[in-house]
Amino acid sequence: MVTIEFITKEDLEQFKQELFSELRRPGQKLHKTSEQKEWLKSYEVRKLLSISPGTLQSLRDTGTLKFSKVGGLMFYKYDDVAALIEGRNKSARH
């Protein structure tokens, strides 16, 4: 049996507020070094962003963070993660 869940406008607004509060944490700026990997696994992204697995899932579901799936693993471009953090720092300053 398939379970269908409906997302309300209020659910999305609450998610947005939680996401922005997590993204506004100070000191979150990344600079790519020569030894930095181009692709990151989910646990690495969660550690860099200080987010839960559910929040990472939401970032994927909303298209906020692009990913590639290889087998059962999700991979994220380092530059996409850095851009997400940079965008967060810019929006936190305004």
Side-chain angles (χ1 to χ4, degrees), residues 5-36:
E5 292 184 30
F6 293 98
I7 298 175
T8 66
K9 186 175 181 181
E10 290 79 22
D11 293 333
L12 290 174
E13 184 63 34
Q14 180 181 358
F15 167 71
K16 181 178 93 172
Q17 295 303 322
E18 290 173 7
L19 177 62
F20 284 144
S21 69
E22 285 189 37
L23 293 177
R24 286 188 185 115
R25 291 187 185 155
Q28 296 292 329
K29 190 165 183 167
L30 297 179
H31 297 286
K32 192 170 183 179
T33 60
S34 58
E35 66 273 358
Q36 177 61 49

Side-chain angles (χ1 to χ4, degrees), residues 33-82:
T33 60
S34 58
E35 66 273 358
Q36 177 61 49
K37 297 188 292 185
E38 182 178 357
W39 293 93
L40 302 172
K41 293 181 181 177
S42 292
Y43 79 92
E44 295 169 312
V45 173
R46 290 194 322 266
K47 185 176 177 182
L48 282 172
L49 297 176
S50 300
I51 59 174
S52 69
T55 300
L56 183 57
Q57 175 71 46
S58 296
L59 291 173
R60 286 194 306 265
D61 291 347
T62 60
T64 303
L65 184 59
K66 297 177 190 174
F67 67 98
S68 295
K69 188 170 182 179
V70 179
L73 298 176
M74 311 274 190
F75 291 92
Y76 309 82
K77 279 191 145 185
Y78 179 88
D79 292 340
D80 291 342
V81 175

Side-chain angles (χ1 to χ4, degrees), residues 1-7:
M1 180 175 195
V2 175
T3 302
I4 298 174
E5 292 184 30
F6 293 98
I7 298 175

